[in-house]
Amino acid sequence: MSIFPQLNIPETLAAGPGPGNTDARVLARFAQSGLADHMQADVLRGMIECKKMLRTVWGTNNTYTYGVGGTGFSGLDCMLGALLPGDTVVAFVNGTFSGLDGLTIRMKAATREELKANPMDPQPASVTIVTVPHGQSVTGEIIEKTLAAKQPKWAFMAHWETGSGRINDLRGFSDACERHDIMGLVDAVSSLGIEDFSIDDYPGVVGWASCPQKGVLCLPLTYAPVSFTDRYIAEVKSNGCHSYVHHPILEARHWGIVDGQDVAAGSYHRTHSGYAVAAFHEALRITLQHGRARRAADYAMHEAALRAAVTAMGCKVTSNMTSLVVLNLPDALAGREKELVQNCRAKGFGIWPTLSEPVQVRIGILNQLSVPAITDIAMRFAAAMQYLGGEVDISKVQAALDQHYQTALAAE
Ligand SMILES: *Cc1c(COP(=O)(O)O)cnc(C)c1O
């Protein structure tokens, strides 16, 4: 038996698609909470307060709005739990994450025979995967065309596809689902807490799932926010779900949601952590104190600054999300994306390549909403390009940042 030395993890600059650097206030709540079990009164009260704040963050009156313990894929697993073998589904895929969601959907909707035929990558006849090329958005036209032709029971799309940095047409998706009486499901992992939107404005979508570590900024493994309409819950109530732990109705009990109603205190579902509840509670308070509209505007302004800076370095940006830039390096450095990213990561500057083809560089700004923070990210990236022999004129980069911020801050 070996006992290893204490594990020390350094503080890095997490400048990727996620996770974002956790606010010190969130970490303080995590570390300063006392030990209290999952049925202690303040833990239960904290969960009820989180539920209420989450409804504001999502912009919804859906009673079934709460957090699923775990990561983004835990919330997605809960949301996709309503899909049963043989269900007809159309899923729009335009990058790594919607691709993995598509795999989840195929696993859940496959019949027993279809799963056995290809257990790790089933291809059920009832599921249609519509693949939109990397770097492009899912448009209202392709959604309408496919849903009109297929008339499935369910449709799925990622709101913001973090793999390629693209925003998909949520309005088009919701409208097409309504028009054809299809139940829409949306992966809002990357947009919640960044974009200013209210899910009640999208009635074609019955299920939503997000994550703790991107816009909500609560990495200390806490809760993946989900929200379900009454129609979705009625569907689960009448047909069931093959999971106890990620059951959309049973999970809600601990958050004080029983039989479609808010009740005074939650009842046991599984052992929630008071530390996690306190951290999540603080993260939601920070989000609401910042204000959804203000936060969205700040992300847009700082993303545009970083975009201007990397463009001045000769890079080509292909994304349109406001928390992330996805870019191609200048021709002279093409093919060296992974090497550049590795060099940065070795220095504690945590940027990312794309996880599926083509290889691009992803630089994120989660919780880096200040002029010095964006300047630091831009200058570290410029230095990494220079280190590989790239020609970067630092004064031009600084001028691009200065010009952007002068105009943007003057407009406020
Ligand atoms: C990050 C991400 C996920 C996965 O979230 P985890 O927290 O890693 O489980 C899923 N979908 C999208 C769109 C994402 O950006």
Side-chain angles (χ1 to χ4, degrees):
M1 191 190 86
S2 38
I3 298 179
F4 296 95
Q6 196 172 56
L7 177 65
N8 287 315
I9 295 175
E11 180 72 6
T12 67
L13 173 52
N21 276 10
T22 308
D23 195 288
R25 277 171 56 184
V26 171
L27 295 176
R29 284 299 91 214
F30 192 88
Q32 290 167 20
S33 292
L35 174 66
D37 67 44
H38 53 290
M39 300 308 289
Q40 191 270 347
D42 296 300
V43 176
L44 290 178
R45 176 174 58 88
M47 292 179 78
I48 301 275
E49 290 174 2
C50 285
K51 168 181 76 177
K52 292 181 175 168
M53 288 193 279
L54 253 189
R55 288 182 186 148
T56 309
V57 172
W58 276 119
T60 186
N61 291 316
N62 286 340
T63 308
Y64 280 83
T65 302
Y66 55 90
V68 178
T71 75
F73 279 124
S74 309
L76 286 157
D77 193 63
C78 179
M79 176 182 81
L80 297 172
L83 306 185
L84 296 177
D87 274 8
T88 52
V89 193
V90 169
F92 298 93
V93 167
N94 67 324
T96 311
F97 293 101
S98 46
L100 294 171
D101 293 328
L103 173 61
T104 310
I105 289 167
R106 289 185 283 111
M107 287 171 165
K108 289 185 186 292
T111 62
R112 202 164 161 159
E113 293 70 38
E114 286 168 335
L115 194 56
K116 193 167 167 56
N118 195 348
M120 305 309 289
D121 192 21
Q123 307 290 334
S126 62
V127 176
T128 304
I129 303 284
V130 178
T131 306
V132 171
H134 177 103
Q136 293 180 25
S137 295
V138 180
T139 62
E141 292 80 62
I142 187 150
I143 295 166
E144 170 57 28
K145 206 177 86 189
T146 316
L147 296 189
K150 294 278 175 187
Q151 303 280 339
K153 175 172 181 176
W154 305 95
F156 169 86
M157 187 182 78
H159 183 196
W160 289 13
E161 168 50 72
T162 325
S164 53
R166 296 299 302 186
I167 295 179
N168 294 326
D169 186 355
L170 184 57
R171 171 57 57 207
F173 182 77
S174 175
D175 288 354
C177 286
E178 258 198 298
R179 209 176 292 124
H180 301 290
D181 196 27
I182 294 163
M183 288 184 282
L185 300 169
V186 167
D187 173 342
V189 164
S190 238
S191 54
L192 185 73
I194 296 171
E195 177 69 298
D196 183 18
F197 68 110
S198 290
I199 64 175
D200 284 358
D201 293 338
Y202 300 92
V205 182
V206 299
W208 301 82
S210 190
C211 81
Q213 43 97 355
K214 287 175 180 146
V216 175
L217 290 161
C218 199
L219 181 63
L221 193 59
T222 60
Y223 292 106
V226 292
S227 187
F228 305 116
T229 65
D230 291 346
R231 180 172 178 194
Y232 174 99
I233 293 298
E235 189 66 30
V236 174
K237 208 170 170 187
S238 58
N239 296 312
C241 159
H242 292 289
S243 169
Y244 166 80
V245 67
H246 284 166
H247 195 295
I249 295 173
L250 296 181
E251 273 278 358
R253 293 184 295 187
H254 215 128
W255 301 86
I257 302 165
V258 178
D259 289 337
Q261 305 292 328
D262 282 324
V263 296
S267 52
Y268 174 69
H269 177 62
R270 49 181 172 140
T271 305
H272 288 273
S273 147
Y275 308 113
V277 170
F280 189 53
H281 190 274
E282 192 65 7
L284 294 172
R285 279 166 36 80
I286 291 172
T287 303
L288 294 175
Q289 284 166 347
H290 193 171
R292 272 182 15 187
R294 177 76 252 173
R295 199 172 170 93
D298 286 351
Y299 270 110
M301 175 178 73
H302 290 294
E303 184 271 344
L306 183 58
R307 173 184 294 261
V310 297
T311 302
M313 297 176 210
C315 299
K316 187 167 172 287
V317 176
T318 62
S319 54
N320 62 357
M321 281 170 49
T322 57
S323 54
L324 179 70
V325 296
V326 181
L327 58 85
N328 295 325
L329 293 175
D331 288 345
L333 293 179
R336 301 182 71 187
E337 294 82 6
K338 286 190 173 158
E339 186 186 353
L340 181 136
V341 166
Q342 268 320 317
N343 291 344
C344 292
R345 295 183 65 84
K347 293 198 176 102
F349 176 39
I351 62 172
W352 284 78
T354 46
L355 298 178
S356 42
E357 296 295 317
V359 183
Q360 294 182 285
V361 177
R362 295 184 296 162
I363 313 174
I365 60 167
L366 294 172
N367 219 13
Q368 302 296 334
L369 301 179
S370 72
V371 178
I374 298 295
T375 306
D376 182 31
I377 290 172
M379 292 308 166
R380 289 195 202 208
F381 188 68
M385 283 178 60
Q386 286 177 326
Y387 183 78
L388 286 192
E391 280 185 28
V392 179
D393 182 343
I394 297 289
S395 63
K396 261 173 84 181
V397 175
Q398 187 63 56
L401 285 168
D402 289 345
Q403 201 204 347
H404 171 78
Y405 279 123
Q406 268 161 27
T407 319
L409 295 169
E412 292 210 329

